[in-house]
Short mmCIF file of all heavy atoms in Angstrom, two decimals:
data_model
loop_
_atom_site.label_atom_id
_atom_site.label_comp_id
_atom_site.label_asym_id
_atom_site.label_seq_id
_atom_site.Cartn_x
_atom_site.Cartn_y
_atom_site.Cartn_z
N MET A 1 9.83 -3.27 -2.51
CA MET A 1 9.15 -3.18 -3.76
C MET A 1 7.81 -2.49 -3.60
O MET A 1 7.45 -1.64 -4.40
CB MET A 1 9.01 -4.60 -4.33
CG MET A 1 8.25 -4.71 -5.62
SD MET A 1 6.46 -4.84 -5.44
CE MET A 1 6.23 -6.07 -4.25
N ALA A 2 7.06 -2.81 -2.59
CA ALA A 2 5.71 -2.23 -2.41
C ALA A 2 5.76 -0.75 -2.07
O ALA A 2 4.77 -0.06 -2.25
CB ALA A 2 4.96 -3.00 -1.35
N SER A 3 6.87 -0.25 -1.60
CA SER A 3 6.96 1.18 -1.29
C SER A 3 7.62 1.98 -2.40
O SER A 3 7.77 3.18 -2.24
CB SER A 3 7.72 1.36 0.03
OG SER A 3 9.04 0.88 -0.11
N GLN A 4 7.94 1.35 -3.51
CA GLN A 4 8.56 2.06 -4.63
C GLN A 4 7.54 2.98 -5.29
O GLN A 4 6.35 2.72 -5.28
CB GLN A 4 9.08 1.09 -5.70
CG GLN A 4 10.25 0.26 -5.24
CD GLN A 4 10.68 -0.72 -6.32
OE1 GLN A 4 9.99 -0.94 -7.31
NE2 GLN A 4 11.82 -1.34 -6.10
N PRO A 5 8.00 4.09 -5.87
CA PRO A 5 7.11 4.99 -6.59
C PRO A 5 6.35 4.24 -7.69
O PRO A 5 6.94 3.41 -8.39
CB PRO A 5 8.05 6.04 -7.19
CG PRO A 5 9.26 6.00 -6.34
CD PRO A 5 9.38 4.57 -5.88
N GLY A 6 5.09 4.51 -7.81
CA GLY A 6 4.26 3.87 -8.85
C GLY A 6 3.53 2.63 -8.38
O GLY A 6 2.62 2.17 -9.05
N VAL A 7 3.91 2.07 -7.25
CA VAL A 7 3.27 0.86 -6.76
C VAL A 7 2.07 1.21 -5.86
O VAL A 7 1.04 0.52 -5.89
CB VAL A 7 4.26 -0.07 -6.03
CG1 VAL A 7 3.55 -1.28 -5.44
CG2 VAL A 7 5.35 -0.51 -7.00
N GLN A 8 2.18 2.27 -5.11
CA GLN A 8 1.06 2.68 -4.26
C GLN A 8 0.07 3.47 -5.10
O GLN A 8 0.44 4.30 -5.91
CB GLN A 8 1.54 3.52 -3.09
CG GLN A 8 2.43 2.74 -2.16
CD GLN A 8 2.88 3.56 -0.97
OE1 GLN A 8 2.30 4.59 -0.65
NE2 GLN A 8 3.92 3.11 -0.31
N ARG A 9 -1.23 3.18 -4.89
CA ARG A 9 -2.27 3.98 -5.54
C ARG A 9 -2.48 5.24 -4.69
O ARG A 9 -2.58 5.13 -3.48
CB ARG A 9 -3.56 3.19 -5.67
CG ARG A 9 -3.46 2.02 -6.62
CD ARG A 9 -4.75 1.25 -6.78
NE ARG A 9 -5.11 0.64 -5.52
CZ ARG A 9 -6.33 0.72 -4.96
NH1 ARG A 9 -7.31 1.36 -5.55
NH2 ARG A 9 -6.58 0.13 -3.82
N ILE A 10 -2.52 6.39 -5.35
CA ILE A 10 -2.65 7.66 -4.67
C ILE A 10 -3.97 8.32 -5.03
O ILE A 10 -4.34 8.37 -6.22
CB ILE A 10 -1.47 8.59 -5.05
CG1 ILE A 10 -0.12 7.92 -4.78
CG2 ILE A 10 -1.57 9.93 -4.35
CD1 ILE A 10 0.16 7.59 -3.33
N HIS A 11 -4.67 8.85 -4.05
CA HIS A 11 -5.93 9.55 -4.26
C HIS A 11 -5.65 10.81 -5.08
O HIS A 11 -4.75 11.59 -4.74
CB HIS A 11 -6.59 9.89 -2.94
CG HIS A 11 -7.97 10.43 -3.08
ND1 HIS A 11 -8.22 11.76 -3.29
CD2 HIS A 11 -9.16 9.80 -3.02
CE1 HIS A 11 -9.53 11.94 -3.37
NE2 HIS A 11 -10.12 10.76 -3.22
N ALA A 12 -6.43 11.03 -6.13
CA ALA A 12 -6.17 12.14 -7.04
C ALA A 12 -6.30 13.50 -6.38
O ALA A 12 -5.59 14.44 -6.75
CB ALA A 12 -7.15 12.05 -8.22
N PHE A 13 -7.19 13.67 -5.42
CA PHE A 13 -7.41 14.98 -4.82
C PHE A 13 -6.61 15.20 -3.54
O PHE A 13 -6.06 16.26 -3.34
CB PHE A 13 -8.91 15.20 -4.55
CG PHE A 13 -9.71 15.24 -5.82
CD1 PHE A 13 -10.60 14.22 -6.09
CD2 PHE A 13 -9.57 16.26 -6.72
CE1 PHE A 13 -11.33 14.23 -7.27
CE2 PHE A 13 -10.30 16.29 -7.90
CZ PHE A 13 -11.18 15.28 -8.18
N SER A 14 -6.57 14.19 -2.68
CA SER A 14 -5.88 14.37 -1.40
C SER A 14 -4.38 14.08 -1.49
O SER A 14 -3.62 14.54 -0.66
CB SER A 14 -6.48 13.46 -0.32
OG SER A 14 -6.17 12.11 -0.58
N GLY A 15 -3.97 13.27 -2.47
CA GLY A 15 -2.58 12.89 -2.58
C GLY A 15 -2.14 11.82 -1.60
O GLY A 15 -0.96 11.51 -1.50
N GLU A 16 -3.10 11.26 -0.87
CA GLU A 16 -2.76 10.23 0.14
C GLU A 16 -2.84 8.84 -0.48
O GLU A 16 -3.61 8.59 -1.39
CB GLU A 16 -3.73 10.33 1.30
CG GLU A 16 -3.59 11.60 2.09
CD GLU A 16 -4.40 11.59 3.36
OE1 GLU A 16 -4.79 10.51 3.84
OE2 GLU A 16 -4.68 12.69 3.88
N PRO A 17 -2.02 7.92 0.03
CA PRO A 17 -2.09 6.53 -0.44
C PRO A 17 -3.45 5.92 -0.12
O PRO A 17 -3.98 6.12 0.96
CB PRO A 17 -0.99 5.82 0.35
CG PRO A 17 -0.19 6.87 1.00
CD PRO A 17 -1.01 8.11 1.06
N VAL A 18 -4.00 5.18 -1.09
CA VAL A 18 -5.28 4.52 -0.89
C VAL A 18 -5.19 3.01 -1.13
O VAL A 18 -6.19 2.32 -1.13
CB VAL A 18 -6.40 5.13 -1.77
CG1 VAL A 18 -6.71 6.55 -1.33
CG2 VAL A 18 -6.04 5.07 -3.22
N GLY A 19 -4.00 2.50 -1.35
CA GLY A 19 -3.83 1.07 -1.57
C GLY A 19 -2.62 0.78 -2.41
O GLY A 19 -1.78 1.62 -2.65
N ILE A 20 -2.56 -0.47 -2.88
CA ILE A 20 -1.45 -0.96 -3.67
C ILE A 20 -1.97 -1.29 -5.07
O ILE A 20 -3.03 -1.89 -5.22
CB ILE A 20 -0.86 -2.24 -3.06
CG1 ILE A 20 -0.32 -1.96 -1.66
CG2 ILE A 20 0.20 -2.85 -3.94
CD1 ILE A 20 0.90 -1.09 -1.63
N ASP A 21 -1.21 -0.91 -6.09
CA ASP A 21 -1.52 -1.31 -7.47
C ASP A 21 -0.90 -2.69 -7.67
O ASP A 21 0.30 -2.83 -7.89
CB ASP A 21 -0.96 -0.30 -8.44
CG ASP A 21 -1.29 -0.60 -9.89
OD1 ASP A 21 -1.55 -1.79 -10.21
OD2 ASP A 21 -1.27 0.32 -10.70
N ILE A 22 -1.72 -3.74 -7.53
CA ILE A 22 -1.23 -5.11 -7.57
C ILE A 22 -0.57 -5.42 -8.91
O ILE A 22 0.47 -6.09 -8.96
CB ILE A 22 -2.38 -6.10 -7.27
CG1 ILE A 22 -2.93 -5.88 -5.88
CG2 ILE A 22 -1.92 -7.55 -7.46
CD1 ILE A 22 -1.94 -6.14 -4.75
N THR A 23 -1.13 -4.96 -10.00
CA THR A 23 -0.56 -5.23 -11.33
C THR A 23 0.83 -4.64 -11.42
O THR A 23 1.76 -5.31 -11.90
CB THR A 23 -1.46 -4.63 -12.41
OG1 THR A 23 -2.77 -5.16 -12.29
CG2 THR A 23 -0.93 -4.94 -13.80
N GLU A 24 1.02 -3.42 -10.96
CA GLU A 24 2.34 -2.78 -11.00
C GLU A 24 3.31 -3.50 -10.07
O GLU A 24 4.47 -3.71 -10.40
CB GLU A 24 2.22 -1.30 -10.61
CG GLU A 24 3.52 -0.55 -10.69
CD GLU A 24 4.10 -0.44 -12.08
OE1 GLU A 24 3.35 -0.44 -13.08
OE2 GLU A 24 5.36 -0.38 -12.19
N ALA A 25 2.83 -3.91 -8.90
CA ALA A 25 3.68 -4.61 -7.95
C ALA A 25 4.17 -5.93 -8.55
O ALA A 25 5.35 -6.28 -8.45
CB ALA A 25 2.95 -4.85 -6.65
N LYS A 26 3.25 -6.69 -9.16
CA LYS A 26 3.63 -7.96 -9.76
C LYS A 26 4.62 -7.80 -10.89
O LYS A 26 5.48 -8.64 -11.11
CB LYS A 26 2.39 -8.69 -10.28
CG LYS A 26 1.55 -9.31 -9.19
CD LYS A 26 0.37 -10.06 -9.80
CE LYS A 26 -0.42 -10.79 -8.78
NZ LYS A 26 -1.53 -11.54 -9.39
N ALA A 27 4.53 -6.70 -11.62
CA ALA A 27 5.47 -6.44 -12.71
C ALA A 27 6.90 -6.24 -12.22
O ALA A 27 7.85 -6.40 -12.99
CB ALA A 27 5.01 -5.22 -13.52
N ARG A 28 7.06 -5.89 -10.97
CA ARG A 28 8.39 -5.63 -10.41
C ARG A 28 8.96 -6.81 -9.64
O ARG A 28 10.01 -6.71 -9.04
CB ARG A 28 8.33 -4.42 -9.49
CG ARG A 28 7.92 -3.17 -10.25
CD ARG A 28 7.71 -2.03 -9.31
NE ARG A 28 7.17 -0.88 -10.00
CZ ARG A 28 7.61 0.35 -9.83
NH1 ARG A 28 8.59 0.60 -8.99
NH2 ARG A 28 7.05 1.34 -10.50
N ILE A 29 8.28 -7.93 -9.66
CA ILE A 29 8.69 -9.11 -8.89
C ILE A 29 9.61 -9.99 -9.73
O ILE A 29 9.40 -10.15 -10.93
CB ILE A 29 7.45 -9.92 -8.47
CG1 ILE A 29 6.53 -9.05 -7.61
CG2 ILE A 29 7.85 -11.18 -7.73
CD1 ILE A 29 7.14 -8.57 -6.34
N VAL A 30 10.57 -10.62 -9.06
CA VAL A 30 11.42 -11.58 -9.75
C VAL A 30 10.58 -12.78 -10.17
O VAL A 30 9.58 -13.12 -9.52
CB VAL A 30 12.60 -12.01 -8.87
CG1 VAL A 30 13.56 -10.86 -8.62
CG2 VAL A 30 12.13 -12.61 -7.57
N GLU A 31 10.97 -13.42 -11.23
CA GLU A 31 10.18 -14.47 -11.84
C GLU A 31 9.94 -15.68 -10.94
O GLU A 31 8.89 -16.30 -11.01
CB GLU A 31 10.83 -14.94 -13.14
CG GLU A 31 10.80 -13.89 -14.21
CD GLU A 31 11.46 -14.38 -15.48
OE1 GLU A 31 11.61 -15.59 -15.69
OE2 GLU A 31 11.83 -13.50 -16.28
N ASP A 32 10.88 -16.02 -10.08
CA ASP A 32 10.74 -17.24 -9.29
C ASP A 32 10.08 -17.01 -7.92
O ASP A 32 10.14 -17.85 -7.05
CB ASP A 32 12.08 -17.93 -9.13
CG ASP A 32 13.11 -17.07 -8.42
OD1 ASP A 32 12.90 -15.85 -8.32
OD2 ASP A 32 14.13 -17.63 -7.98
N ALA A 33 9.43 -15.87 -7.74
CA ALA A 33 8.78 -15.58 -6.47
C ALA A 33 7.54 -16.46 -6.29
O ALA A 33 6.84 -16.78 -7.25
CB ALA A 33 8.37 -14.12 -6.42
N ASP A 34 7.28 -16.85 -5.07
CA ASP A 34 6.11 -17.66 -4.73
C ASP A 34 4.86 -16.78 -4.81
O ASP A 34 4.73 -15.83 -4.02
CB ASP A 34 6.28 -18.23 -3.33
CG ASP A 34 5.12 -19.07 -2.86
OD1 ASP A 34 4.04 -19.05 -3.49
OD2 ASP A 34 5.28 -19.73 -1.82
N PRO A 35 3.94 -17.04 -5.74
CA PRO A 35 2.79 -16.14 -5.91
C PRO A 35 1.88 -16.04 -4.70
O PRO A 35 1.36 -14.98 -4.40
CB PRO A 35 2.05 -16.73 -7.11
CG PRO A 35 2.63 -18.04 -7.39
CD PRO A 35 3.94 -18.13 -6.68
N LYS A 36 1.69 -17.14 -3.95
CA LYS A 36 0.84 -17.10 -2.77
C LYS A 36 1.50 -16.24 -1.67
O LYS A 36 0.84 -15.43 -1.02
CB LYS A 36 0.57 -18.49 -2.25
CG LYS A 36 -0.39 -19.25 -3.14
CD LYS A 36 -0.67 -20.63 -2.57
CE LYS A 36 -1.59 -21.38 -3.52
NZ LYS A 36 -1.89 -22.73 -3.01
N LEU A 37 2.80 -16.42 -1.48
CA LEU A 37 3.52 -15.64 -0.48
C LEU A 37 3.54 -14.16 -0.89
O LEU A 37 3.36 -13.29 -0.06
CB LEU A 37 4.95 -16.16 -0.30
CG LEU A 37 5.81 -15.42 0.71
CD1 LEU A 37 5.18 -15.42 2.08
CD2 LEU A 37 7.20 -16.01 0.70
N LEU A 38 3.73 -13.91 -2.15
CA LEU A 38 3.74 -12.55 -2.67
C LEU A 38 2.42 -11.85 -2.38
O LEU A 38 2.40 -10.73 -1.86
CB LEU A 38 3.99 -12.56 -4.18
CG LEU A 38 3.82 -11.21 -4.90
CD1 LEU A 38 4.85 -10.21 -4.41
CD2 LEU A 38 3.87 -11.41 -6.39
N MET A 39 1.29 -12.51 -2.69
CA MET A 39 -0.01 -11.89 -2.44
C MET A 39 -0.25 -11.67 -0.95
O MET A 39 -0.80 -10.67 -0.55
CB MET A 39 -1.12 -12.72 -3.07
CG MET A 39 -1.17 -12.64 -4.58
SD MET A 39 -1.21 -10.93 -5.20
CE MET A 39 -2.75 -10.37 -4.53
N LYS A 40 0.20 -12.60 -0.13
CA LYS A 40 0.06 -12.45 1.33
C LYS A 40 0.85 -11.23 1.80
O LYS A 40 0.34 -10.41 2.58
CB LYS A 40 0.54 -13.73 2.04
CG LYS A 40 0.49 -13.67 3.53
CD LYS A 40 -0.92 -13.65 4.03
CE LYS A 40 -0.93 -13.73 5.54
NZ LYS A 40 -2.24 -13.45 6.09
N CYS A 41 2.09 -11.10 1.32
CA CYS A 41 2.93 -9.97 1.72
C CYS A 41 2.34 -8.63 1.25
O CYS A 41 2.29 -7.68 2.02
CB CYS A 41 4.35 -10.13 1.18
SG CYS A 41 5.27 -11.44 1.97
N LEU A 42 1.88 -8.60 -0.01
CA LEU A 42 1.29 -7.36 -0.52
C LEU A 42 0.01 -7.00 0.23
O LEU A 42 -0.25 -5.83 0.52
CB LEU A 42 1.02 -7.49 -2.03
CG LEU A 42 2.26 -7.46 -2.91
CD1 LEU A 42 1.88 -7.74 -4.35
CD2 LEU A 42 3.02 -6.17 -2.79
N THR A 43 -0.80 -8.00 0.54
CA THR A 43 -2.03 -7.75 1.28
C THR A 43 -1.72 -7.18 2.66
O THR A 43 -2.36 -6.22 3.11
CB THR A 43 -2.84 -9.06 1.43
OG1 THR A 43 -3.16 -9.54 0.13
CG2 THR A 43 -4.11 -8.84 2.20
N GLU A 44 -0.73 -7.77 3.35
CA GLU A 44 -0.36 -7.28 4.68
C GLU A 44 0.26 -5.88 4.60
O GLU A 44 0.02 -5.04 5.46
CB GLU A 44 0.56 -8.26 5.37
CG GLU A 44 -0.11 -9.57 5.74
CD GLU A 44 -1.31 -9.37 6.65
OE1 GLU A 44 -1.25 -8.56 7.60
OE2 GLU A 44 -2.33 -10.02 6.40
N PHE A 45 1.07 -5.65 3.58
CA PHE A 45 1.66 -4.32 3.42
C PHE A 45 0.55 -3.28 3.22
O PHE A 45 0.57 -2.21 3.82
CB PHE A 45 2.63 -4.29 2.21
CG PHE A 45 3.27 -2.94 2.02
CD1 PHE A 45 4.43 -2.62 2.68
CD2 PHE A 45 2.71 -2.00 1.17
CE1 PHE A 45 5.03 -1.38 2.51
CE2 PHE A 45 3.27 -0.76 0.98
CZ PHE A 45 4.45 -0.46 1.67
N GLU A 46 -0.42 -3.60 2.34
CA GLU A 46 -1.52 -2.69 2.08
C GLU A 46 -2.32 -2.43 3.35
O GLU A 46 -2.68 -1.29 3.67
CB GLU A 46 -2.41 -3.22 0.98
CG GLU A 46 -3.53 -2.25 0.58
CD GLU A 46 -4.30 -2.75 -0.60
OE1 GLU A 46 -4.75 -3.91 -0.59
OE2 GLU A 46 -4.47 -1.96 -1.54
N ARG A 47 -2.61 -3.49 4.10
CA ARG A 47 -3.34 -3.34 5.36
C ARG A 47 -2.58 -2.41 6.31
O ARG A 47 -3.16 -1.52 6.92
CB ARG A 47 -3.57 -4.70 6.01
CG ARG A 47 -4.39 -4.67 7.29
CD ARG A 47 -4.49 -6.00 7.97
NE ARG A 47 -4.37 -7.17 7.15
CZ ARG A 47 -5.39 -7.87 6.67
NH1 ARG A 47 -6.61 -7.52 6.98
NH2 ARG A 47 -5.20 -8.93 5.93
N GLY A 48 -1.29 -2.62 6.45
CA GLY A 48 -0.48 -1.77 7.32
C GLY A 48 -0.44 -0.33 6.86
O GLY A 48 -0.53 0.61 7.66
N LEU A 49 -0.33 -0.15 5.56
CA LEU A 49 -0.31 1.20 4.97
C LEU A 49 -1.58 1.94 5.33
O LEU A 49 -1.56 3.07 5.81
CB LEU A 49 -0.14 1.10 3.45
CG LEU A 49 -0.27 2.39 2.66
CD1 LEU A 49 0.94 3.29 2.89
CD2 LEU A 49 -0.42 2.09 1.17
N LEU A 50 -2.71 1.30 5.09
CA LEU A 50 -4.00 1.95 5.30
C LEU A 50 -4.35 2.14 6.78
O LEU A 50 -4.84 3.20 7.16
CB LEU A 50 -5.10 1.19 4.58
CG LEU A 50 -4.92 1.14 3.04
CD1 LEU A 50 -6.01 0.29 2.41
CD2 LEU A 50 -4.86 2.53 2.43
N THR A 51 -4.06 1.15 7.60
CA THR A 51 -4.35 1.31 9.03
C THR A 51 -3.40 2.33 9.67
O THR A 51 -3.81 3.08 10.54
CB THR A 51 -4.29 -0.03 9.80
OG1 THR A 51 -3.03 -0.64 9.61
CG2 THR A 51 -5.39 -0.97 9.36
N GLY A 52 -2.19 2.36 9.21
CA GLY A 52 -1.23 3.35 9.70
C GLY A 52 -1.65 4.77 9.34
O GLY A 52 -1.58 5.69 10.17
N ARG A 53 -2.13 4.96 8.12
CA ARG A 53 -2.62 6.29 7.69
C ARG A 53 -3.85 6.68 8.53
O ARG A 53 -3.98 7.81 8.95
CB ARG A 53 -2.98 6.30 6.22
CG ARG A 53 -1.82 6.26 5.27
CD ARG A 53 -0.91 7.46 5.39
NE ARG A 53 -1.64 8.72 5.26
CZ ARG A 53 -1.30 9.86 5.86
NH1 ARG A 53 -0.23 9.91 6.62
NH2 ARG A 53 -2.01 10.94 5.72
N ALA A 54 -4.75 5.73 8.75
CA ALA A 54 -5.95 6.02 9.54
C ALA A 54 -5.57 6.41 10.96
O ALA A 54 -6.12 7.35 11.53
CB ALA A 54 -6.89 4.82 9.53
N ALA A 55 -4.62 5.68 11.56
CA ALA A 55 -4.19 5.99 12.92
C ALA A 55 -3.52 7.36 12.98
O ALA A 55 -3.72 8.12 13.93
CB ALA A 55 -3.24 4.90 13.43
N ALA A 56 -2.73 7.69 11.96
CA ALA A 56 -2.08 8.98 11.93
C ALA A 56 -3.10 10.12 11.83
O ALA A 56 -2.96 11.14 12.51
CB ALA A 56 -1.10 9.05 10.76
N LYS A 57 -4.13 9.90 11.02
CA LYS A 57 -5.18 10.93 10.91
C LYS A 57 -5.89 11.12 12.23
O LYS A 57 -6.23 12.22 12.60
CB LYS A 57 -6.17 10.55 9.80
CG LYS A 57 -5.67 10.82 8.41
CD LYS A 57 -6.74 10.54 7.41
CE LYS A 57 -6.92 11.81 6.61
NZ LYS A 57 -7.92 11.70 5.60
N GLU A 58 -6.20 10.01 12.92
CA GLU A 58 -6.87 10.10 14.21
C GLU A 58 -6.00 10.89 15.19
O GLU A 58 -6.50 11.72 15.94
CB GLU A 58 -7.18 8.73 14.76
CG GLU A 58 -8.31 8.03 14.05
CD GLU A 58 -8.57 6.63 14.60
OE1 GLU A 58 -8.08 6.31 15.70
OE2 GLU A 58 -9.28 5.89 13.93
N GLY A 59 -4.71 10.64 15.18
CA GLY A 59 -3.80 11.36 16.05
C GLY A 59 -3.74 12.85 15.72
O GLY A 59 -3.66 13.68 16.63
N GLU A 60 -3.81 13.18 14.46
CA GLU A 60 -3.80 14.59 14.04
C GLU A 60 -5.05 15.28 14.53
O GLU A 60 -4.99 16.43 14.99
CB GLU A 60 -3.69 14.70 12.51
CG GLU A 60 -2.36 14.30 11.97
CD GLU A 60 -2.35 14.22 10.45
OE1 GLU A 60 -3.39 14.44 9.80
OE2 GLU A 60 -1.27 13.93 9.89
N GLU A 61 -6.19 14.61 14.46
CA GLU A 61 -7.45 15.20 14.89
C GLU A 61 -7.44 15.40 16.41
O GLU A 61 -7.98 16.39 16.92
CB GLU A 61 -8.61 14.31 14.48
CG GLU A 61 -8.84 14.31 12.97
CD GLU A 61 -9.87 13.28 12.51
OE1 GLU A 61 -10.46 12.57 13.37
OE2 GLU A 61 -10.07 13.17 11.30
N GLU A 62 -6.81 14.47 17.13
CA GLU A 62 -6.80 14.57 18.60
C GLU A 62 -5.96 15.77 19.05
O GLU A 62 -6.25 16.36 20.08
CB GLU A 62 -6.23 13.28 19.20
CG GLU A 62 -7.19 12.12 19.12
CD GLU A 62 -6.58 10.83 19.64
OE1 GLU A 62 -5.48 10.87 20.21
OE2 GLU A 62 -7.23 9.78 19.49
N ILE A 63 -4.94 16.11 18.30
CA ILE A 63 -4.09 17.24 18.72
C ILE A 63 -4.43 18.53 17.96
O ILE A 63 -3.75 19.53 18.06
CB ILE A 63 -2.60 16.92 18.56
CG1 ILE A 63 -2.21 16.56 17.13
CG2 ILE A 63 -2.19 15.82 19.52
CD1 ILE A 63 -0.73 16.42 16.90
N GLY A 64 -5.51 18.48 17.17
CA GLY A 64 -6.01 19.68 16.52
C GLY A 64 -5.30 20.08 15.25
O GLY A 64 -5.30 21.25 14.88
N ILE A 65 -4.72 19.14 14.52
CA ILE A 65 -4.06 19.47 13.24
C ILE A 65 -5.03 19.31 12.12
O ILE A 65 -5.79 18.43 12.01
CB ILE A 65 -2.81 18.59 13.03
CG1 ILE A 65 -1.80 18.87 14.10
CG2 ILE A 65 -2.23 18.81 11.64
CD1 ILE A 65 -0.54 18.04 14.03
#
């Protein structure tokens, strides 16, 4: 769900993901989902998304891309 189109917030100029649109993500959740677990999962997904992008950028800079 968190990787579906429209759930990730995208930077207007760079086109890169900058986070998760929590409101949009919650709109796509089944009604009986545990809200605390949902927020924990979305928070961890967002953290992984952003740290992964940062690591990829660092790797690109190291090889001269």
Side-chain angles (χ1 to χ4, degrees):
M1 176 275 312
S3 62
Q4 292 178 349
V7 176
Q8 295 182 18
R9 292 182 296 131
I10 305 296
H11 188 274
F13 296 111
S14 71
E16 293 188 21
V18 293
I20 299 292
D21 183 336
I22 298 297
T23 304
E24 183 64 29
K26 284 183 175 182
R28 298 174 186 224
I29 301 299
V30 293
E31 293 180 20
D32 60 344
D34 179 348
K36 288 182 182 179
L37 179 59
L38 171 65
M39 287 308 297
K40 178 69 175 169
C41 289
L42 288 174
T43 300
E44 291 302 317
F45 181 87
E46 184 174 51
R47 183 186 332 262
L49 172 72
L50 298 177
T51 56
R53 288 297 307 149
K57 283 185 124 180
E58 287 178 15
E60 291 171 358
E61 291 171 2
E62 288 176 7
I63 59 173
I65 296 178

